[in-house]
Amino acid sequence: MKTRPTPSHHTSRRATVLAASLGLLLAGGGCGKAEDGYLNLLALPEECEVDKRCAGLVGVNCRSEVDGPYYYVEGLTGRIVATCGGACMLGPQPERGLCVECPPKEWTCK
């Protein structure tokens, strides 16, 4: 009787990422809107693009060079961890969750 090899941690992680991405795609994931605290990384608004990836986070630039927001988003869930960029023109707004920590402490890359 043949036994199947045990999947490696890397294979399991890849399957988890794929399943999470598929779930976001099928659920609509907020349809790319940031108002609900989430961004669908598979269907970003037209003016937004993935800029960088670091430690499980994704940097999403929504024209921050012309005063648009820059989001730091959890790669697996689409949850917005921090909103920065042009959204910070008025300074930190902790009551709205804007510009409190830019970049967030989870962003460990330079």
Side-chain angles (χ1 to χ4, degrees):
M1 179 163 101
K2 288 186 177 181
T3 60
R4 291 185 180 178
T6 304
S8 69
H9 174 70
H10 182 71
T11 302
S12 297
R13 180 169 166 79
R14 183 178 297 156
T16 302
V17 170
L18 182 60
S21 297
L22 182 59
L24 280 173
L25 180 62
L26 294 174
C31 299
K33 296 180 183 176
E35 290 85 29
D36 62 358
Y38 288 83
L39 270 178
N40 181 342
L41 295 172
L42 300 174
L44 290 171
E46 188 176 312
E47 68 277 4
C48 300
E49 65 183 2
V50 170
D51 183 42
K52 299 176 184 172
R53 296 177 185 275
C54 176
L57 293 181
V58 178
V60 178
N61 184 358
C62 297
R63 299 182 46 113
S64 63
E65 62 281 356
V66 290
D67 299 335
Y70 190 99
Y71 299 107
Y72 293 91
V73 181
E74 287 179 345
L76 289 177
T77 66
R79 184 179 71 85
I80 298 171
V81 175
T83 301
C84 303
C88 299
M89 290 174 44
L90 300 175
Q93 300 173 50
E95 69 284 353
R96 295 181 56 207
L98 299 175
C99 316
V100 177
E101 190 174 17
C102 296
K105 64 181 176 285
E106 297 92 343
W107 189 268
T108 57
C109 303
K110 297 270 179 190

